[in-house]
Amino acid sequence: MKKIISLILVAMTLVACLAGCGSKQETPPTQGGTESTTAAKPAEAIEIVLWHTLTDHHQEALDKIIADFNAAQTEYVVVAQQQPYSEYDAKLLQAVRSHSGPDFVTMFPSDAINYMADGYLYPFTEFVNDPQIGMPDFKEQVASGLYAEITQWGGDEIYMIPSNFGSEVLYYNKTMFDELNLKVPATWSEVEECAKTIHQAYGIAGFGTDSITDSFQGWVMQAGSGYIDVENKQISIDRDIAIEKLNWFADGVKEGYFRLVGEDYYFSNPFGSKAVGMYIGSAAGVDYARYAIPAEGQEGHFEMGCAPLPQEGPVKYVSSWGSTYVCLSEDADHARGVYTFLKYMTQEEVIVDWAIAFGATPAYKYGIENAKFREYVETNPAVNALVQEYDFINYLPSIQGAATVRTEIDKMVQSVALGLSDAESAYDDFVTAANAALNDN
């Protein structure tokens, strides 16, 4: 999935963001997946198939939820099939087109729009609004920015049901900050000043970001820029703002106090080896950052800190990296089964355990306010930062071509940061390529 989806993949392996969805199956699908959940059910039970790419304790947490659901009722049996990540997207699309895919998966809105355009998504609207089985406070319980994202296509249709909210947080070397008497940055100007001080003191880059695409989007959105003019299918990023942010980051890279992630792909390892003083990464990657730091008592050990994503400008904005489920079943009976499972999964106690398993935040206010989750927040600094960002969740329009826009942003920022192009030329080339992608349908 463009760089955000690639990026989150280790993170999204952590937050369960790439999975598939599909159609009715009379027998378990034989698409090469591994069934991880089975249960003895009456012959009339409707089988609901889930594809996912989870492994280890994440898969175990999912298996438990499914087993509990299967034991709690007899109308449906959910079967989870673990799929290898390699070529997953292509495999899912092929399976859906051949009517042999799963019934549901997790998916980003920027991918869901393509399935929606081809008529593959089954909306949850009729179930959510049903007086008997519905979720009457669904809109009120989901963060306003996240609700706007999953209903952005109009018509009051609900094509996605979220489970967890994940996003970017700031990881920083607290030991370095204490040694240099630095205040944890709350704005990007403060990030720059801290990065320069760290660079001067230790000769290393002070700041980096796992996803330059998401960071650039955040910089321009916080500054009050538009993004995509959906009606006209044109880029609406303010040119002056874009060029200012491009030069701001590129100047830091050229001077050495900022850096690109490069072949490291994620900053957790450079962070653990003190090659960078702070970075923006997924909250779900907190354990990777912890494990990269030498153990207490060993040479190189330092204390890690986490803080909310810095904000600077008229608009509060953090990326929406929620885990959202979509249904690709072709009939109402299977779609109702998908909804029934998701309603079970998102009830308070279940969603809290699911969020804790992933180091994420429940997408529902009742989950965030849960006593068990509040205790967990005190033990996980990244999730603590996520909770503080909850009201700043925002989103970008997901229309056909939006994924290519992200790819072009990555190319643009890297070309300027590496000195391969000036900001003005790179931005103009980006607009040309992005507009072509938005209108290529």
Side-chain angles (χ1 to χ4, degrees):
M1 95 182 168
K2 56 237 162 203
K3 184 146 177 195
I4 178 172
I5 294 185
S6 300
L7 208 182
I8 289 208
L9 271 174
V10 167
M12 268 327 82
T13 284
L14 299 166
V15 298
C17 274
L18 288 171
C21 67
S23 61
K24 179 178 179 179
Q25 302 292 335
E26 297 301 330
T27 58
T30 56
Q31 294 295 317
T34 301
E35 292 185 13
S36 58
T37 300
T38 59
K41 286 290 168 186
E44 66 271 15
I46 298 174
E47 184 175 272
I48 308 298
V49 178
L50 166 68
W51 276 12
H52 68 85
T53 59
L54 305 179
T55 58
D56 303 325
H57 69 283
H58 301 128
Q59 183 174 0
E60 292 174 8
L62 177 63
D63 286 349
K64 183 180 185 306
I65 293 173
I66 293 174
D68 290 346
F69 171 78
N70 288 343
Q73 48 75 55
T74 59
E75 189 174 0
Y76 307 102
V77 56
V78 173
V79 176
Q81 294 187 333
Q82 196 272 352
Q83 302 288 333
Y85 171 64
S86 177
E87 299 182 353
Y88 173 83
D89 291 341
K91 180 179 179 180
L92 172 62
L93 183 58
Q94 180 181 14
V96 171
R97 285 176 171 171
S98 64
H99 309 286
S100 61
D103 292 296
F104 70 117
V105 295
T106 57
M107 190 177 289
F108 282 101
S110 53
D111 290 322
I113 182 61
N114 297 316
Y115 283 83
M116 192 184 308
D118 290 335
Y120 292 134
L121 287 195
Y122 195 110
F124 293 110
T125 319
E126 63 179 304
F127 306 122
V128 172
N129 295 331
D130 187 279
Q132 265 96 43
I133 65 169
M135 301 167 70
D137 58 350
F138 180 74
K139 181 177 181 179
E140 289 71 28
Q141 287 294 332
V142 175
S144 58
L146 184 53
Y147 184 83
E149 181 178 37
I150 64 176
T151 58
Q152 64 180 282
W153 301 285
D156 297 323
E157 292 283 17
I158 299 170
Y159 283 97
M160 317 187 83
I161 291 183
S163 58
N164 294 335
F165 158 63
S167 192
E168 309 144 290
V169 297
L170 176 70
Y171 293 93
Y172 64 96
N173 185 319
K174 186 176 184 301
T175 302
M176 280 186 186
F177 271 65
D178 290 344
E179 290 172 353
L180 298 174
N181 294 315
L182 294 175
K183 183 182 72 171
V184 179
T187 68
W188 297 107
S189 295
E190 292 172 356
V191 166
E192 179 182 5
E193 291 306 312
C194 288
K196 288 179 177 178
T197 301
I198 290 170
H199 181 60
Q200 282 185 325
Y202 302 108
I204 63 172
F207 171 76
T209 174
D210 276 348
S211 173
I212 192 59
T213 301
D214 291 280
S215 290
F216 179 82
Q217 288 172 332
W219 296 332
V220 298
M221 294 302 291
Q222 288 183 17
S225 173
Y227 184 67
I228 293 175
D229 179 342
V230 174
E231 182 177 355
N232 295 308
K233 298 182 180 181
Q234 297 287 313
I235 290 296
S236 60
I237 297 174
D238 183 284
R239 188 175 191 273
D240 291 339
I241 290 175
I243 290 171
E244 176 193 349
K245 301 307 178 185
L246 284 170
N247 283 325
W248 176 78
F249 181 72
D251 288 348
V253 172
K254 293 167 185 174
E255 293 294 326
Y257 55 86
F258 291 166
R259 62 160 280 189
L260 294 163
V261 68
E263 294 181 356
D264 289 303
Y265 201 69
Y266 297 100
F267 267 109
S268 51
N269 285 333
F271 179 68
S273 64
K274 298 183 182 179
V276 65
M278 57 181 163
Y279 75 98
I280 300 296
S282 169
V286 64
D287 287 339
Y288 287 89
R290 281 173 169 161
Y291 296 154
I293 299 170
E296 189 172 1
Q298 294 184 351
E299 183 179 356
H301 173 75
F302 62 88
E303 184 178 356
M304 178 186 76
C306 292
L309 187 75
Q311 302 290 317
E312 186 165 337
V315 177
K316 301 295 185 184
Y317 177 95
V318 297
S319 299
S320 175
W321 289 355
S323 179
T324 48
Y325 286 86
V326 296
C327 175
L328 289 176
S329 293
E330 296 178 353
D331 64 273
D333 288 341
H334 280 70
R336 184 186 177 106
V338 171
Y339 168 76
T340 302
F341 172 75
L342 293 177
K343 183 180 179 182
Y344 171 84
M345 185 183 193
T346 55
Q347 64 185 358
E348 183 173 335
E349 297 300 327
V350 179
I351 201 64
V352 165
D353 287 343
W354 185 236
I356 290 173
F358 276 91
T361 300
Y364 303 86
K365 293 175 184 176
Y366 53 72
I368 292 177
E369 295 165 357
N370 176 273
K372 181 179 180 180
F373 182 73
R374 300 306 301 188
E375 290 178 7
Y376 169 69
V377 166
E378 297 305 314
T379 70
N380 187 318
V383 172
N384 195 322
L386 265 185
V387 170
Q388 297 176 60
E389 296 175 356
Y390 189 76
D391 290 333
F392 301 157
I393 301 172
N394 215 314
Y395 77 97
L396 300 171
S398 291
I399 65 173
Q400 290 184 286
T404 302
V405 172
R406 289 183 50 79
T407 301
E408 293 298 330
I409 286 175
D410 180 74
K411 289 167 55 178
M412 170 180 66
V413 179
Q414 298 226 30
S415 69
V416 179
L418 294 173
L420 303 177
S421 177
D422 61 88
E424 290 81 359
S425 298
Y427 177 76
D428 292 341
D429 290 343
F430 154 73
V431 170
T432 299
N435 284 344
L438 293 172
N439 287 274
D440 184 23
N441 54 68

